[in-house]
Amino acid sequence: MPLEPVLLDRPRLPAVPAPLDWVTLADAFEVACLLRCVSAPAAPVRAGRRPPAPAHPHAGPAAEFNREDAALRMRQLLARLEIPVRHEVATGGLRRRYELHRLQVAREHRAAYATLVEAGWRQGRRELLGGPASGASAPRRTWRPRLAAAAWRASLLAGGRHVRRHILGIRLTDRELAAVLVRGAALLEVPALLRPGAGCFVVSVADGPDRDRILRSVTLDPATGPGVAAVG
């Protein structure tokens, strides 16, 4: 009986990375949301008045924020993910001074950083945008609202605040993050509206009980560090 030939040159399918555990996912997803809020320059754009920045901070080794509390929150999350980061502060402007907070990941940790951010966003987005699964496990029922709160917390810290008397809103340039916020609000039992703005999207919830519920959901325990007062 002739032997079947062995195909040594058959291409191997890439290995599918193991899903992140819930605790790691929540931190990595929040980092990804912070980065998606600052895909455009974080500081006022004035020629000659701010340091150069990468065009897409979430794709490179650095992220820039014009709010200290957003930078501190990202530092805290990366520390929990065991990604060392250097925090630099630059000031600029003449009459109106501003601070630019730049977080730089060391070269030897950039691959792990990029992998965590990509996996965190992909898995977290899938959990929030996917329809409710019948018979979902108790951990999934617990953690999906926590992922929703993480997305709102990151956006309130690093996105463009759009607060009016009758709404709490966030301006974003990232359509996918805007969709995640709308779905996340629904998981937090709050209706949210999405409408186009001038070169952006605005996600908003009504003032009153809806706003209060969102803010309660994103508030961190004092022991967890920065981010508490910033989103109030």
Side-chain angles (χ1 to χ4, degrees), residues 125-149:
R125 177 185 178 277
R126 184 172 63 245
E127 288 290 342
L128 292 183
L129 296 186
S134 59
S137 65
R140 175 163 276 110
R141 291 195 300 270
T142 298
W143 280 96
R144 289 181 77 219
R146 294 183 185 180
L147 293 174

Side-chain angles (χ1 to χ4, degrees), residues 22-36:
W22 288 109
V23 174
T24 303
L25 172 59
D27 288 346
F29 180 63
E30 189 170 342
V31 168
C33 291
L34 283 166
L35 294 172
R36 283 178 172 265

